[in-house]
Amino acid sequence: MQGIELSRRFYADLVRPWLTSVAPELPHSAALTGFGSELLGLDDEVSRDHNWGPRVHVFLCTDGFNDHARRLVVEFTKVAPASYLGEPIGWRGRPHPPANGPEAAGAIEHGLEFHTLEATLERLLAVRSADNLAPLQWLGSSREVPFSTMTTNG
């Protein structure tokens, strides 16, 4: 199974039901963003030695992030299984630690991270909003950044 499908299932089978039960009114989107061959469906046995495994980025509005994200990371740490479909969900040879910062929260014990869209756009594309981004500006961005969308809730 390719990494993006593993991550889709991880979200659909574990994260989404759990999140719905502990924060049913919290609107969110889920995706896997950033860099990695699995985002483009190009992962293979060799690429599984780094930054690979069941993981998901959950996006919240800024208020939702500030009110819930860090608490949810701690709560998921308590209930997350050690593995999913035979793959460990914790830190496994990933070149970057789980996200943690003003608008990012994750834990080394599992592949669930919470982010705001604004902070992710700023980190990857150096803009806080795509609202006023002209097509020429988008095409002129300095690097390709794969985004693999999974789902939206709310």
Side-chain angles (χ1 to χ4, degrees):
M1 176 182 318
Q2 290 186 299
I4 193 64
E5 181 60 25
L6 179 65
S7 291
R8 276 189 186 108
R9 291 183 185 186
F10 176 64
Y11 172 75
D13 295 347
L14 292 177
V15 175
R16 183 176 52 201
W18 170 80
L19 193 54
T20 300
S21 72
V22 299
E25 301 300 318
L26 183 63
H28 70 278
S29 296
L32 194 54
T33 63
F35 307 94
S37 56
E38 78 276 14
L39 296 177
L40 300 172
L42 301 174
D43 50 328
D44 57 21
E45 293 299 319
V46 173
S47 64
R48 291 182 179 192
D49 70 344
H50 63 284
N51 208 32
W52 195 92
R55 57 195 181 107
V56 64
H57 300 157
V58 172
F59 292 91
L60 304 174
C61 68
T62 302
D63 288 341
F65 181 90
N66 291 335
D67 293 344
H68 302 283
R70 299 201 191 284
R71 172 184 59 83
L72 291 172
V73 166
V74 171
E75 288 182 19
F76 191 71
T77 302
K78 295 174 186 174
V79 300
S83 65
Y84 173 72
L85 296 180
E87 297 292 339
I89 67 166
W91 188 259
R92 182 175 89 180
R94 295 187 180 144
H96 307 289
N100 276 301
E103 295 178 69
I108 201 165
E109 295 84 3
H110 54 73
L112 172 61
E113 294 181 4
F114 290 91
H115 298 266
T116 65
L117 178 60
E118 295 82 4
T120 300
L121 288 172
E122 186 172 48
R123 179 175 51 86
L124 297 175
L125 300 174
V127 299
R128 292 252 337 147
S129 172
D131 288 343
N132 297 315
L133 195 61
L136 192 54
Q137 289 173 300
W138 176 257
L139 292 172
S141 63
S142 63
R143 55 185 171 175
E144 295 178 34
V145 180
F147 286 81
S148 183
T149 303
M150 290 182 187
T151 189
T152 303
N153 175 32

